């Protein structure tokens, strides 16, 4: 069942077109990624879906509700973590959770959330004294305190150190496991690859592809390489294998270039002829490659 | 709403600025109060005007602009609660703060310092409400126009000194150039101090000055509402 259905969404600011016909749907219980460089309409899209902004055209249904007309009813059932929002410096962790719980008709027990999100020992700490990771965990806990069916998380690991990002990812998986549908806005490829069941790739106000992260990577047919060092046995002819586009050999070092899943064919062929190799490396194709293939430009250069 | 009010009240008591708004007028009252004659009718109205001015120009705009700057109003608009509730709660609490500051001044001034306390309570209350409304309107306009909390704070402080001077809070009006004293009487804070002084002197506040304060409250509030942005 689709919990979010967006059809032909359009939004302009003055003479700048921000969204130019965006359509996608999010299924119940999945982590749906919204990926793209900054300024491609990701946040605007999510804000329209949350009912914070009024679209100029197209239709949006979230849990069967219109975010503009049934805003109040919808906000009972969604949880939101916004980019660039803070709490008052002097509010204590438990006060923030207790306060936000009071906004909803059927909130979760915030004491459980304190435990779940590892904030129990920070219960009486003031917001201003929390570390970046602790603040982020509090924001996610606040997004969940209303017991939502859909949680929107916008750039949730921006500004966190690698360790804290990993921890946050594990926690997001737990959110999905508890049955909450998650919409994750991100401009981090690794995050989306790690967490998302499906991804919509945004570029210049439109969606250029929607697929699983693996599907997106497979969908692009970019050349990539595998390398190895010959240990024992004579080198066999690899050039004729499906997908292989080139083989170069320098002493015992071999580099095979190809498309698709040629590496499996190569390793099978080597094994069949009892050729022993060491130091085998296959360049992993990533979402970065997929993005370049889809948009014709590099992801990183755009922000 | 109850919980929001309780939490906001706690936050207000943790705000050093709130304590200053209570203590600065009290300090001024006590320092100058040691040299007043019993039954003085001038010092308390001045101290009340200082207190209301500080809350209206300093506390109110800084708090509201900071809430917008930190995205708290925006975050609230993603919950079933309207962000307007927070503004209403803040206005009420700032009013309570102004009332507390004035209550403190009256208590200390009326007892320890032996200053005069007016008998026309109703006129006093009416003047307080109109003057506070006018000053809060100015504060709201600052909050609406300032890009962030620091700017609101700066504008508030910058506006406070000329307004306090014109209102006769820096030096008595009879020592000010005549033209400035006349103009000052029609500023929000000046009208407030003059009306309070009339009440203290046992007379009725001038309907013209009450009207001036009411007009400021309405016109400036409308301007503030027009310019206010939620984010």
């Amino acid at each position: 069942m689709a919990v979010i259905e967006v059809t032909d969404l359009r939004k302009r600011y003055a003479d700048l077109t921000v969204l130019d016909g965006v359509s996608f749907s999010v299924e119940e219980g999945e982590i749906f990624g919204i990926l793209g460089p900054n300024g491609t309409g990701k946040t605007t899209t999510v804000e329209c879906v949350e009912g914070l902004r009024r679209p100029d055209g197209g239709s949006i249904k979230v849990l069967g509700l219109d975010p503009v007309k049934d805003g109040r009813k919808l906000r009972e059932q969604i949880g939101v973590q916004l980019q660039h929002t803070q709490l008052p410096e002097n509010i204590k962790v438990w006060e923030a959770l207790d306060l936000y719980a009071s906004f909803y008709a059927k909130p979760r027990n915030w004491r459980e959330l304190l435990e779940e999100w590892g904030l129990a020992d920070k219960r009486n700490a003031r917001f201003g004294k929390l570390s970046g990771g602790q603040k982020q965990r509090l924001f996610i806990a606040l997004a969940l305190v209303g017991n939502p069916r859909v949680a929107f998380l916008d750039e949730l690991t921006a500004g966190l150190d690698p360790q804290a990002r990993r921890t946050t990812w594990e926690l997001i998986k737990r959110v999905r496991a508890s049955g909450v549908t998650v919409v994750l806005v991100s401009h981090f490829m690794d995050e989306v690859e790690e967490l998302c069941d499906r991804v919509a790739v945004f570029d210049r106000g439109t969606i250029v592809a929607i697929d699983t992260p693996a599907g997106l990577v497979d969908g692009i047919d970019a050349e990539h390489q595998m390398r190895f060092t010959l240990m024992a046995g004579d080198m066999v002819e690899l050039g004729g294998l499906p997908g292989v586009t080139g083989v170069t050999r320098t002493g015992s070092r071999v580099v095979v270039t190809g498309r698709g899943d040629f590496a499996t064919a190569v390793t099978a062929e080597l094994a069949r002829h009892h050729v022993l190799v060491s130091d085998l490396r296959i360049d992993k194709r990533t979402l970065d490659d997929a993005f370049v293939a889809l948009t014709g430009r590099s992801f990183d250069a755009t922000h | 709403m109850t919980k929001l009010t309780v939490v906001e009240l706690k936050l207000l008591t943790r705000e050093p600025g709130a304590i200053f708004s209570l203590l600065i007028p009290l300090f001024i009252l006590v320092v100058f109060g040691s040299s007043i004659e019993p039954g003085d009718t001038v010092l308390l109205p001045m101290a009340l005007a200082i207190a209301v001015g500080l809350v209206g120009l300093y506390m109110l705009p800084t708090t509201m602009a900071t809430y917008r700057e930190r995205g708290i109003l925006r975050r609230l608009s993603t919950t079933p609660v309207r962000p307007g509730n927070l503004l209403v709660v803040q206005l009420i609490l700032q009013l309570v703060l102004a009332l507390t500051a004035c209550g403190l001044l009256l208590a200390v001034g009326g007892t320890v310092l032996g200053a005069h306390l007016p008998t026309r309570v109703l006129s006093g209350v009416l003047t307080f409400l109109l003057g506070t409304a006018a000053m809060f309107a100015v504060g709201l306009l600052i909050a609406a126009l300032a890009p962030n909390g620091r700017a609101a704070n700066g504008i508030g402080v910058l506006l406070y000194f000329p307004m306090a001077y014109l209102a006769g809070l820096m030096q008595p009006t009879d020592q000010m150039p005549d033209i400035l004293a006349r103009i000052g009487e029609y500023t929000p804070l000046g009208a407030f101090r003059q009306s309070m002084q009339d009440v203290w002197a046992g007379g009725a506040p001038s309907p013209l000055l009450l009207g001036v304060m009411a007009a400021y409250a309405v016109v400036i509030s409308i301007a503030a509402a027009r310019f206010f942005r939620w984010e």
Side-chain angles (χ1 to χ4, degrees):
Chain A
M1 190 196 97
V3 289
I4 300 175
E5 233 157 329
V6 175
T7 317
D8 198 29
L9 186 61
R10 286 168 193 281
K11 179 83 187 167
R12 296 173 65 85
Y13 295 120
D15 31 298
L16 182 72
T17 301
V18 185
L19 297 178
D20 191 12
V22 165
S23 303
F24 63 92
S25 67
V26 178
E27 299 298 314
E28 180 151 29
E30 72 176 340
I31 300 184
F32 186 83
I34 292 189
L35 178 74
N38 293 328
T40 49
K42 297 178 313 226
T43 297
T44 306
T45 300
V46 172
E47 287 177 344
C48 287
V49 173
E50 293 161 353
L52 287 179
R53 286 182 201 284
R54 198 179 279 267
D56 297 334
S59 83
I60 305 177
K61 282 268 178 278
V62 185
L63 300 164
L65 300 169
D66 179 327
V68 175
K69 283 195 215 115
D70 316 309
R72 203 193 147 86
K73 215 170 152 194
L74 176 64
R75 288 192 288 272
E76 281 284 352
Q77 302 181 60
I78 62 171
V80 176
Q81 177 248 325
L82 292 169
Q83 208 183 342
H84 309 307
T85 49
Q86 301 283 313
L87 292 173
E89 284 291 292
N90 286 325
I91 198 165
K92 291 177 181 174
V93 168
W94 78 268
E95 288 169 345
L97 281 163
D98 185 31
L99 176 63
Y100 275 73
S102 76
F103 296 160
Y104 298 88
K106 291 184 195 122
R108 284 195 56 185
N109 181 347
W110 58 262
R111 290 166 192 86
E112 284 173 20
L113 280 165
L114 266 185
E115 293 289 338
E116 274 174 40
W117 292 85
L119 292 165
D121 57 335
K122 289 286 164 195
R123 191 191 147 102
N124 290 316
R126 294 185 182 193
F127 176 77
K129 302 274 182 216
L130 298 178
S131 73
Q134 289 162 348
K135 283 181 181 171
Q136 206 58 286
R137 291 209 297 275
L138 176 58
F139 287 139
I140 301 169
L142 287 177
L144 299 174
V145 79
N147 206 8
R149 290 179 62 195
V150 187
F152 296 89
L153 307 173
D154 196 343
E155 298 291 1
L156 83 161
T157 64
L160 295 188
D161 61 65
Q163 179 65 41
R165 294 185 71 207
R166 293 254 155 219
T167 315
T168 310
W169 290 351
E170 290 315 309
L171 293 168
I172 298 306
K173 288 177 188 167
R174 268 172 32 199
V175 173
R176 172 182 48 191
S178 70
V180 179
T181 306
V182 178
V183 175
L184 186 77
V185 180
S186 182
H187 72 277
F188 293 116
M189 295 285 184
D190 55 347
E191 181 165 298
V192 167
E193 245 175 324
E194 170 80 21
L195 289 177
C196 295
D197 298 303
R198 288 190 309 133
V199 191
V201 181
F202 275 67
D203 187 39
R204 298 185 178 98
T206 57
I207 293 179
V208 289
I210 301 182
D211 205 339
T212 61
L216 286 173
V217 174
D218 287 344
I220 55 153
D221 204 18
E223 258 186 4
H224 56 289
Q225 295 180 325
M226 69 183 292
R227 310 151 203 270
F228 51 83
T229 306
L230 288 170
M231 297 276 289
D234 292 327
M235 181 63 182
V236 292
E237 176 55 37
L238 298 169
L241 292 172
V244 174
T245 54
V247 182
T248 57
R249 183 171 168 187
T250 320
S252 60
R253 284 296 292 167
V254 180
V255 179
V256 184
T257 312
R259 294 175 189 278
D261 192 21
F262 73 95
T264 310
V266 171
T267 46
E269 186 72 4
L270 292 171
R272 209 147 58 80
H273 290 91
H274 306 292
V275 179
L276 282 183
V277 300
S278 67
D279 210 11
L280 174 70
R281 281 172 205 195
I282 301 169
D283 289 351
K284 199 171 163 257
R285 287 167 308 161
T286 62
L287 268 182
D288 283 284
D289 301 319
F291 187 82
V292 174
L294 286 166
T295 65
R297 59 196 178 121
S298 150
F299 193 90
D300 286 321
T302 53
H303 65 261
Chain B
M1 272 303 256
T2 318
K3 195 148 270 173
L4 189 61
T5 312
V6 171
V7 172
E8 289 299 317
L9 180 61
K10 283 191 197 170
L11 291 176
L12 189 63
T13 60
R14 289 173 199 163
E15 196 60 59
I19 312 298
F20 283 127
S21 307
L22 292 180
L23 293 185
I24 289 175
L26 196 62
F27 177 75
I28 292 172
L29 181 76
V30 170
V31 167
F32 289 95
S34 52
S35 59
I36 59 167
E37 289 166 20
D40 176 83
T41 58
V42 178
L43 189 60
L44 261 178
M46 281 175 70
L48 295 179
I50 292 171
V52 170
L54 282 176
V55 175
L57 289 178
Y58 174 75
M59 284 302 293
L60 180 70
T62 307
T63 312
M64 295 231 176
T66 305
Y67 275 16
R68 180 184 52 224
E69 178 194 359
R70 296 177 80 87
I72 292 164
L73 298 177
R74 226 166 92 73
R75 176 64 183 84
L76 216 53
S77 57
T78 69
T79 73
V81 170
R82 287 172 196 282
N85 289 3
L86 183 59
L87 297 189
V88 171
V89 165
Q90 267 302 325
L91 273 178
I92 293 171
L93 288 181
Q94 301 288 346
L95 179 64
V96 169
L97 181 66
L99 272 172
T100 311
C102 291
L104 212 58
L105 291 171
L106 291 180
V108 173
T111 57
V112 185
L113 301 175
H116 175 70
L117 290 181
T119 43
R120 289 174 167 264
V121 176
L122 216 62
S123 298
V125 170
L126 180 67
T127 304
F128 171 81
L129 287 178
L130 284 176
T132 306
M135 290 315 291
F136 276 24
V138 176
L140 285 174
L141 184 63
I142 298 173
L145 296 175
N148 55 49
R150 288 167 65 111
N153 195 338
I155 298 171
V157 171
L158 273 182
L159 263 181
Y160 180 78
F161 287 100
M163 285 184 88
Y165 175 76
L166 286 172
L169 301 179
M170 304 264 191
Q171 62 178 161
T173 41
D174 52 15
Q175 291 170 28
M176 283 164 63
D178 210 31
I179 176 82
L180 289 182
R182 291 291 296 167
I183 294 172
E185 209 167 287
Y186 296 97
T187 61
L189 206 52
F192 179 59
R193 185 202 49 78
Q194 187 56 50
S195 303
M196 272 299 182
Q197 209 159 311
D198 292 346
V199 171
W200 246 258
S206 130
L208 175 64
L209 290 184
L210 292 180
V212 164
M213 287 190 284
Y216 274 124
V218 172
V219 173
I220 300 177
S221 300
I222 291 172
R226 233 190 93 71
F227 290 117
F228 190 79
R229 292 153 293 134
W230 289 104
E231 47 192 79

